[in-house]
Amino acid sequence: MKGNKMNYILGIDLGTSSLKGVVFDQDGNFIGAKSSSYDVCNPKKGYCEQNPKFWIDAFENVIEKLNRDFDLNENLIALSFSGQMHSLVLLDEQGRVLRDAILWNDVRTIDECKYIRNKFSDKLLEITNNIALEGFTLPKILWVKKYEAEIFEKTHHILLPKDYLRYYLTGKYNMDYSDAAGTLLLDIEDHIWSEEIIRKFGINRKLLPPLLNSTDFVGYVKKDLILKYGFKKKVRVFAGCADNCASEIGSGVIGKDDTMLLSIGTSGVILNPEKKINRSYNGKLHFFNSIYKDTYYSMGVTLSAGQSLNWFRKSFSKKEKFEDLTKDIDKIKAGADGLIFAPYLNGERSPYFDGNIRGSFIGLDISHTKKHLVKSTLEGITFSLRDNFEMMEKSIDSQIKNIISVGGGSKNKDWLQIQADIFNKNIMTINIEEGPGLGAAMIAALGMKYFDNVKECSDAFIKYTQIIKPNKENSRIYDKLFEQYKKIYPNTKSICYNLIGICENQNKSN
């Protein structure tokens, strides 16, 4: 439908597999959304890359759709971004892309991470409040420096994906604090690029862009692009933030001391806003700056959350839709009659940070059906997130009463009940399921000063649709099962390592 003639703001979510544009008016009313997908390139095992031109093409495709259906070109006045974290974009002196971006889920940097941990582990944790992992940006920089020295010599600008798209639109090089914290190059206390890290690993300070708060004004969309897209007004561009930070904003969890965020997509995230730097995690959870340089959030990650369910469907029930696959799982008792799933299909992120651990079904017997396995899969994903949640809950002063659930895990009523029962907390859902794109639009609204603070902006944009309360009897059962779940990792670790070694030797002999 065509929109009313007023000011529109656009949130752009640059994800791993697609770009989405979400449009609101200046009062926080949802206008519409469009998306455009693109491919991930896997030139070698463990490699994940993307041509930045894909992002520009997808952006232009989304703008065309939004212009057509919602008169975006007549009304757009401001935009901001959410983007995939950690992924490395290298530009030359003229701002031209030097190689495909190395994505966050690329794991070629195992040796670089070992090198960082051996040479600088404790100091890195002190400066960044994080440990070196394959997903972060610093190991990717070191890999290019070592194996593609000619490209690194030509590099004049290091950016992340959303920063590159923002550069394309404005001609300005910047990075916000939330994404900078995910590079392993930011001094989290002083809010500057760490000279100590840069010197240690031989990175030229000039390669790193100026730092901004997410709501800071960067510039206007360039005149040639204003004409190209048919925009009738000057369009202000604000810095934006990392995708998980955008989910934090777009869920309304900021300012709610008794509430955390649970996001289940391909991976799963449990996120807690933090008022100050929290050193108690010792790197076992991620810790990043939020939309302002002196605000923070902690985050635990399950690598194979929704991916575990997708793996099960593709492997054992390919022709079945997800809604049919999960139908009637409420009829299976809590705990799937003694069956527990560990969702370590691609290794596990927090709190174990172990790329070699593997998934398992524990307790499988002849009475178990496909429905048992499906319910166990949903329970196991949620147990994994509770593993992170418990570490967070122990470190904060307030008692958590509510969890806001977003993403694919919030779309199934039975899974929502499982979440409520396993966490033993109220689960809340949101009326608009636009994820990080919603948060990006809210950042643009805050940058335009349509609202005085984040809470006022949240009240305008976000409405909660339902509260799912825990079933106390199920929660008691899940508490007992969770104690058994926590034993799976330490008791299967050596088995998984041995299995990987046997398979590798077998492949070599063949």
Side-chain angles (χ1 to χ4, degrees):
M1 58 178 285
K2 299 290 186 179
N4 295 325
K5 303 297 182 185
M6 65 179 304
N7 292 334
Y8 285 176
I9 53 179
L10 172 64
I12 301 162
D13 177 31
L14 196 165
T16 309
S17 57
S18 67
L19 182 144
K20 189 171 189 179
V22 186
V23 183
F24 291 83
D25 68 26
Q26 65 189 53
D27 297 323
N29 298 306
F30 176 64
I31 303 299
K34 298 291 180 181
S35 65
S36 181
S37 60
Y38 35 73
D39 293 329
V40 173
C41 305
N42 305 106
K44 293 182 181 180
K45 184 178 180 180
Y47 285 36
C48 291
E49 299 184 351
Q50 214 155 50
N51 186 338
K53 187 177 184 299
F54 293 172
W55 309 330
I56 293 172
D57 291 344
F59 173 80
E60 295 186 340
N61 182 252
V62 164
I63 292 298
E64 181 181 350
K65 293 175 181 177
L66 292 171
N67 283 344
R68 182 188 65 220
D69 291 351
F70 304 111
D71 283 342
L72 182 77
N73 51 346
E74 296 285 339
N75 301 300
L76 182 65
I77 195 168
L79 61 84
S80 191
F81 307 84
S82 153
Q84 51 169 293
M85 297 179 71
H86 314 307
S87 303
L88 176 65
V89 182
L90 300 176
L91 307 182
D92 68 10
E93 192 171 7
Q94 285 74 44
R96 295 174 299 205
V97 174
L98 287 167
R99 69 172 327 280
D100 284 357
I102 303 177
L103 300 192
W104 62 274
N105 53 351
D106 185 293
V107 293
R108 75 183 72 179
T109 57
I110 292 173
D111 290 341
E112 284 69 33
C113 288
K114 288 178 181 177
Y115 173 74
I116 295 169
R117 287 193 287 266
N118 289 336
K119 296 289 184 181
F120 208 60
S121 181
D122 292 342
K123 196 63 178 176
L124 186 76
L125 181 59
E126 179 187 328
I127 295 170
T128 70
N129 211 19
N130 289 289
I131 62 175
L133 299 169
E134 291 83 357
F136 286 103
T137 316
L138 173 59
K140 303 180 197 305
I141 294 171
L142 298 184
W143 186 92
V144 174
K145 188 179 177 186
K146 181 177 180 180
Y147 294 104
E148 297 179 351
E150 290 184 7
I151 287 176
F152 197 74
E153 281 294 318
K154 296 176 184 176
T155 298
H156 277 251
H157 304 281
I158 292 174
L159 297 176
L160 299 188
K162 76 170 193 332
D163 305 318
Y164 173 70
L165 181 57
R166 190 180 57 241
Y167 158 72
Y168 171 77
L169 294 175
T170 66
K172 304 289 180 64
Y173 299 104
N174 300 104
M175 191 180 297
D176 76 291
Y177 291 102
S178 74
D179 251 341
T183 64
L184 287 185
L185 293 165
L186 183 74
D187 185 320
I188 199 165
E189 287 195 356
D190 292 338
H191 315 301
I192 58 174
W193 296 117
S194 169
E195 292 294 339
E196 194 167 356
I197 297 174
I198 290 167
R199 285 197 306 269
K200 181 69 178 178
F201 297 105
I203 299 169
N204 188 336
R205 169 66 183 81
K206 293 179 181 179
L207 303 184
L208 302 175
L211 294 166
L212 297 172
N213 290 309
S214 298
T215 57
D216 284 349
F217 173 68
V218 172
Y220 293 96
V221 173
K222 293 184 293 187
K223 289 182 180 179
D224 60 323
L225 295 179
I226 288 282
L227 292 172
K228 180 177 182 178
Y229 303 138
F231 297 150
K232 304 302 182 186
K233 302 176 181 180
K234 292 179 71 174
V235 180
R236 294 169 175 82
V237 179
F238 298 92
C241 65
D243 52 6
N244 286 303
C245 179
S247 292
E248 177 195 21
I249 306 304
S251 66
V253 72
I254 290 180
K256 294 179 172 67
D257 291 340
D258 63 351
T259 305
M260 286 188 188
L261 170 66
L262 176 67
S263 176
I264 301 179
T266 302
S267 60
V269 169
I270 185 83
L271 184 151
N272 183 52
E274 304 264 0
K275 293 184 173 67
K276 58 184 180 180
I277 296 174
N278 187 337
R279 298 284 185 181
S280 67
Y281 302 129
N282 290 315
K284 290 191 174 182
L285 296 175
H286 300 320
F287 195 91
F288 300 128
N289 298 72
S290 188
I291 60 169
Y292 304 115
K293 65 181 181 182
D294 56 354
T295 59
Y296 310 92
Y297 65 93
S298 54
M299 185 176 80
V301 179
T302 293
L303 275 184
S304 300
Q307 187 178 25
S308 291
L309 186 63
N310 192 42
W311 159 80
F312 186 92
R313 186 184 72 85
K314 283 186 174 180
S315 300
F316 306 113
S317 199
K318 195 170 185 177
K319 295 182 179 179
E320 202 168 7
K321 295 179 180 178
F322 282 111
E323 52 265 34
D324 295 326
L325 186 69
T326 57
K327 186 179 179 182
D328 296 329
I329 61 165
D330 59 319
K331 294 180 171 59
I332 305 293
K333 294 177 184 177
D337 290 320
L339 182 62
I340 299 179
F341 172 67
Y344 309 142
L345 301 183
N346 286 319
E348 187 54 295
R349 186 71 70 87
S350 53
Y352 305 118
F353 298 112
D354 188 341
N356 290 318
I357 190 66
R358 290 294 178 262
S360 54
F361 283 100
I362 304 291
L364 188 65
D365 69 36
I366 200 167
S367 70
H368 288 129
T369 65
K370 183 171 71 173
K371 290 297 181 186
H372 285 91
L373 270 69
V374 171
K375 181 148 189 174
S376 179
T377 299
L378 299 182
E379 291 173 336
I381 295 164
T382 314
F383 279 142
S384 176
L385 289 158
R386 178 173 165 176
D387 224 356
N388 292 286
F389 170 82
E390 290 206 336
M391 190 180 301
M392 288 180 177
E393 195 173 37
K394 289 174 183 175
S395 79
I396 59 178
D397 297 329
S398 55
Q399 183 180 1
I400 299 300
K401 297 178 181 177
N402 307 301
I403 295 175
I404 300 169
S405 183
V406 300
S410 67
K411 297 177 181 178
N412 182 294
K413 64 179 180 62
D414 294 323
W415 197 355
L416 287 169
Q417 188 63 57
I418 289 170
Q419 293 166 31
D421 295 346
I422 286 179
F423 286 103
N424 196 17
K425 309 293 179 186
N426 296 327
I427 298 293
M428 303 166 64
T429 58
I430 298 173
N431 64 325
I432 298 174
E433 189 51 62
E434 298 301 340
L438 168 58
M442 290 172 64
I443 287 170
L446 287 165
M448 291 294 293
K449 302 192 186 313
Y450 291 147
F451 304 94
D452 291 334
N453 52 57
V454 174
K455 183 183 183 306
E456 187 179 301
C457 187
S458 296
D459 290 344
F461 277 78
I462 301 167
K463 302 291 184 292
Y464 300 102
T465 52
Q466 57 181 328
I467 297 177
I468 297 93
K469 295 183 178 296
N471 178 306
K472 295 301 180 182
E473 179 57 31
N474 286 348
S475 291
R476 282 190 286 271
I477 293 168
Y478 281 130
D479 282 346
K480 294 176 182 177
L481 290 169
F482 182 60
E483 292 305 310
Q484 302 309 308
Y485 171 86
K486 288 191 290 185
K487 296 176 183 178
I488 294 174
Y489 174 77
N491 284 289
T492 62
K493 180 177 178 179
S494 62
I495 297 173
C496 292
Y497 280 42
N498 291 336
L499 289 172
I500 289 172
I502 292 167
C503 290
E504 287 178 349
N505 289 333
Q506 184 181 27
N507 291 334
K508 287 177 183 177
S509 63
N510 292 335

